[in-house]
Amino acid sequence: MSQPTASSTTARPFQGAIGVFDSGVGGLSVLRAIRAALPHEHLVYVADSGHAPYGDQSEAHITQRTLTVGNWLAEQGVKGITIACNTATVVAAKALREQTHLPVVAIEPAIKPAVALTRSGVVGVLATRQTVQSVAVARLMALYGAEKRILLQGCPGLVELVERADLHSAETEALLRQFITPLLEQGADILVLGCTHYPFLRDTIQRLAGQSVTLLDPAEAVARELARRLADSSGLTPHTEQGSVQFFTSGDVAQVQTVMSHLWDAPLTVRALP
Ligand code: DGL
């Protein structure tokens, strides 16, 4: 396959690529794990920043955005879709899977591995409000958490800070302290990063929590699962090819490009989602 471009005149310009999306820039934490695990693949990333944060919006809105972005990716010819957004997964992954024949791999809060790892028997989960209220997380807790204490902490405001690349300010630290302190006081020795924006706050979270607390981010597990699913279905791109990444957003292109270049640690070009 030649490197796909958005300006291609073919009807399906990203034929054979992998679509990855999030409500905004946070899914880059999953994209970098996919890029590392699958360096030969062509990736198309959509930051739905014009509609972020998902976590404070209705289930109907999150489902509608997930289906809209998922459909757009399918129309571009992608061979698989990764939902790099816990909120979209817990609210709308089922609806997307019902709508497409493509393999859909979706990140969800790492409650199962956290339960296996905790020594104190107390796990803290940092996530958006919609994620902590979701039926899907209640199901994960019932499945894996019966003999442990799982503390769900909604974190309104954090996504907005990461969307501005405001990672190290006093405001960010104060908000993180407010969310993390009650979990530590109740004995949590594992903190699940249950929103893909939060790995960009990892250094501050680790400093506030202390080195004895383990932070869990399932991005690498998602990349491995994606590789497995593609190997079983549409196939992986030959190792002779050099992979690529194309970026799109529904938000302010110039602002999203600046923030994503900062988080990706390299200059990148973002285009408007048509
Ligand atoms: N990155 C999304 C997640 O993993 C954030 C959702 C939001 O926009 O609130 O949940």
Side-chain angles (χ1 to χ4, degrees):
M1 184 182 79
S2 60
Q3 179 165 313
T5 65
S7 58
S8 165
T9 51
T10 63
R12 292 159 73 82
F14 298 123
Q15 188 76 39
I18 299 168
V20 181
F21 78 92
D22 177 37
S23 65
V25 301
L28 293 180
S29 64
V30 180
L31 190 73
R32 71 186 170 193
I34 295 173
R35 189 97 173 104
L38 296 166
H40 308 288
E41 296 296 333
H42 300 288
L43 309 175
V44 182
Y45 182 84
V46 176
D48 198 17
S49 304
H51 301 268
Y54 283 1
D56 296 330
Q57 298 185 44
S58 69
E59 292 193 4
H61 183 83
I62 297 164
T63 302
Q64 185 255 323
R65 289 311 305 165
T66 299
L67 295 181
T68 300
V69 176
N71 272 339
W72 182 79
L73 287 166
E75 284 163 16
Q76 308 311 301
V78 300
K79 64 183 175 186
I81 296 175
T82 300
I83 305 179
C85 175
N86 294 268
T87 312
T89 297
V90 299
V91 172
K94 188 166 176 282
L96 182 58
R97 287 186 172 118
E98 283 167 3
Q99 177 179 282
T100 179
H101 65 282
L102 294 170
V104 175
V105 173
I107 197 164
E108 67 181 15
I111 290 174
K112 182 182 177 187
V115 162
L117 274 176
T118 179
R119 296 176 311 277
S120 68
V122 185
V123 167
V125 180
L126 304 168
T128 68
R129 277 197 286 228
Q130 272 291 6
T131 296
V132 302
Q133 288 167 7
S134 67
V135 173
V137 163
R139 192 170 333 109
L140 285 175
M141 289 178 62
L143 266 177
Y144 305 115
E147 281 152 33
K148 312 282 177 186
R149 277 188 78 201
I150 300 176
L151 309 171
L152 300 178
Q153 177 66 60
C155 304
L158 285 185
V159 165
E160 289 91 328
L161 291 169
V162 178
E163 287 291 311
R164 300 200 299 263
D166 183 353
L167 309 181
H168 302 291
S169 69
E171 182 194 349
T172 304
E173 182 165 334
L175 201 54
L176 282 171
R177 195 185 295 280
Q178 180 190 318
F179 294 138
I180 293 168
T181 304
L183 305 177
L184 301 177
E185 283 175 354
Q186 291 175 80
D189 64 347
I190 311 274
L191 293 180
V192 173
L193 304 182
C195 167
T196 55
H197 283 68
Y198 304 166
F200 292 108
L201 302 167
R202 187 178 191 115
D203 292 352
T204 310
I205 296 172
Q206 190 76 69
R207 181 165 49 77
L208 293 173
Q211 291 304 320
S212 61
V213 172
T214 301
L215 307 187
L216 281 190
D217 167 14
E220 287 177 10
V222 168
R224 285 194 299 274
E225 169 69 6
L226 176 65
R228 221 176 2 252
R229 290 288 302 281
L230 291 178
D232 289 348
S233 56
S234 11
L236 293 167
T237 300
H239 285 197
T240 45
E241 284 203 34
Q242 192 172 353
S244 63
V245 196
Q246 316 261 346
F247 299 91
F248 290 87
T249 187
S250 59
D252 178 322
V253 171
Q255 192 205 326
V256 170
Q257 178 165 300
T258 303
V259 171
M260 295 221 310
S261 296
H262 178 69
L263 299 179
W264 195 245
D265 218 8
L268 50 82
T269 301
V270 177
R271 281 171 283 171
L273 191 68

